[in-house]
Amino acid sequence: MTLAELDLHHSQSLAEVASVAEPTALEQLRVKYLGRNGLLPAIIKQMKEVPAEERPEFGKRAQAWRAALEAALTEKHLAVATEETKGPAFDPSLPGRWFAPGSKHPVSRVIEETAAIFARLGFTVADGPDIENRFNNFTALNTPAHHPSMDPSDTFWLTDNLLLRTQTSPVQIRMMTQHQPPMRIITPGRTYRRDTTDATHSANFHQIEGLYVDTQPVSLADLKSTLAYYASEMMGSKAGVRFRPHFFPFTEPSVEVDFSCHVCAGKGCRVCKMSGWIEIAGAGMVDPRVFQFVGYDPEKVYGYAFGFGVERIAMIKYGIPDIRWLYENDMRFLSQLA
Ligand code: DAH
């Protein structure tokens, strides 16, 4: 075949494509020229018969033809395609594609919001290990040697000296033995107790500890205003706070802190056991004995401390009547809080 004949096929094929107006005829043209037994592959197969000096140019033009023909076929296909050959049209009535956005777990949300609120008061977040020793978890917190909380029926002991911490308070000891006042920290974390699980108890729960120590006098009034500020930021300005006298070995005086029940606005419901209040935290002025244990001079240092139950806060903030819901990872529950 000569170059001239090749060019003739080229222009003829394009003219044929231009002349059809119907998908089946177009497909027949594609098969005629480009199909496995089509004209173009046949011509290329016979290239060796083309005189050697013409062969490079012949090859080049054959490729140009293929490119032009494919482009013309595609363009024509789009022009003549029926609904059927184009594929389904856009259907605006189809439901949108569902995607599952993740959400933060309520326990994480309470911890993060609490850290943000206390950050505004100058508190930074400190951390400590889940496995503690007897000194940090009990002794330095001024717990008497035979206090019932140390009993194996209450505490998960790992060895004679090591245990799963029963409270986040030992992080106070770690921080005070490593740093000098002033100090403002909060410490969120897991805690462990041999409690039987029910609607309000779990053997593994979370606390947020707070500690303020300074060489300037700090009073119970400061503690109360700090916790009242926290309550209104966390629960809204209508939230009530109440302080009841209590005893903790590591604070003197000690208080228990109740928030008004968010679920029933203090009227009384199942969540608050009809009292209108929910116990949320223990708190108090750091006992001078604790300062002695960490090597501070109790005559020169002042401080207050508090410890919140995270699940308690989550339960009243989100109206969750059973603590176990927080651990079941049931999406039907968790996605409602997203
Ligand atoms: N650690 C106490 C508990 O788990 C809570 C607590 C009470 C923490 C008083 C404190 C505090 O820091 O001052 O019951």
Side-chain angles (χ1 to χ4, degrees):
M1 179 173 294
T2 64
L3 283 170
E5 281 168 329
L6 183 68
D7 288 346
L8 201 62
H9 283 307
H10 179 153
S11 42
Q12 192 178 337
S13 70
L14 293 187
E16 283 175 40
V17 170
S19 71
V20 300
E22 191 267 321
T24 325
L26 194 64
E27 175 60 13
Q28 280 165 1
L29 279 181
R30 193 190 63 76
V31 171
K32 173 179 169 188
Y33 285 103
L34 299 177
R36 193 144 32 101
N37 300 316
L39 187 58
L40 187 60
I43 290 174
I44 286 172
K45 233 180 266 163
Q46 285 168 13
M47 276 248 304
K48 49 186 176 307
E49 282 154 32
V50 174
E53 63 278 10
E54 272 183 24
R55 223 176 280 151
E57 179 61 22
F58 194 93
K60 219 155 86 187
R61 290 199 199 180
Q63 289 311 326
W65 175 23
R66 177 192 290 279
L69 184 56
E70 281 175 353
L73 284 167
T74 305
E75 195 182 323
K76 192 73 182 194
H77 174 79
L78 291 176
V80 303
T82 59
E83 286 308 308
E84 214 176 309
T85 51
K86 259 189 209 160
F90 174 67
D91 179 353
S93 70
L94 283 175
R97 223 175 263 171
W98 186 77
F99 73 104
S103 68
K104 288 228 166 96
H105 192 277
V107 166
S108 304
R109 278 165 65 172
V110 168
I111 289 174
E112 285 174 20
E113 280 181 43
T114 302
I117 293 166
F118 279 98
R120 299 202 280 275
L121 300 173
F123 286 73
T124 54
V125 174
D127 199 12
D130 289 18
I131 296 177
E132 262 300 358
N133 58 43
R134 183 189 290 268
F135 180 81
N136 288 339
N137 197 89
F138 290 122
T139 316
L141 288 164
N142 198 32
T143 313
H146 299 289
H147 195 274
S149 64
M150 290 189 207
D151 196 278
S153 66
D154 284 330
T155 297
F156 293 106
W157 287 95
L158 303 174
T159 67
D160 278 353
N161 185 40
L162 294 178
L163 55 122
L164 295 177
R165 65 179 176 192
T166 60
Q167 49 192 354
T168 43
S169 306
V171 186
Q172 292 185 30
I173 304 302
R174 289 181 173 268
M175 292 302 287
M176 286 192 283
T177 48
Q178 286 163 28
H179 304 278
Q180 291 302 308
M183 189 186 303
R184 263 179 275 186
I185 52 157
I186 63 160
T187 303
R190 284 174 190 277
T191 51
Y192 305 82
R193 286 183 202 174
R194 259 189 207 279
D195 273 336
T196 306
T197 303
D198 63 21
T200 53
H201 292 88
S202 163
N204 172 207
F205 56 104
H206 298 76
Q207 289 188 334
I208 302 174
E209 194 77 12
L211 176 68
Y212 185 124
V213 282
D214 205 339
T215 48
Q216 308 291 318
V218 181
S219 73
L220 192 66
D222 297 315
L223 169 64
K224 288 175 73 175
S225 64
T226 302
L227 296 183
Y229 172 74
Y230 171 69
S232 77
E233 291 292 293
M234 195 68 182
M235 297 294 163
S237 53
K238 295 206 184 78
V241 205
R242 144 178 119 166
F243 299 84
R244 288 177 287 107
H246 199 73
F247 174 82
F248 295 104
F250 35 91
T251 43
E252 181 57 36
S254 302
V255 291
E256 268 190 332
V257 187
D258 298 341
F259 282 5
S260 58
C261 181
H262 191 65
V263 180
C264 61
K267 289 189 198 75
C269 68
R270 222 178 89 184
V271 177
C272 61
K273 303 200 173 79
M274 301 315 291
S275 73
W277 295 93
I278 297 185
E279 182 199 321
I280 284 296
M285 305 309 294
V286 179
D287 193 292
R289 295 270 293 155
V290 173
F291 285 146
Q292 276 170 347
F293 274 113
V294 299
Y296 286 2
D297 181 349
E299 298 295 326
K300 298 205 175 107
V301 178
Y302 308 80
Y304 62 71
F306 52 85
F308 292 110
V310 175
E311 282 82 352
R312 285 279 173 86
I313 296 174
M315 287 170 78
I316 58 170
K317 187 169 165 92
Y318 303 114
I320 302 165
D322 192 319
I323 197 171
R324 288 166 290 199
W325 294 8
L326 290 169
Y327 309 122
E328 281 165 358
N329 289 333
D330 186 333
M331 285 306 293
R332 289 170 303 179
F333 162 66
L334 290 176
S335 60
Q336 290 179 50
L337 304 174

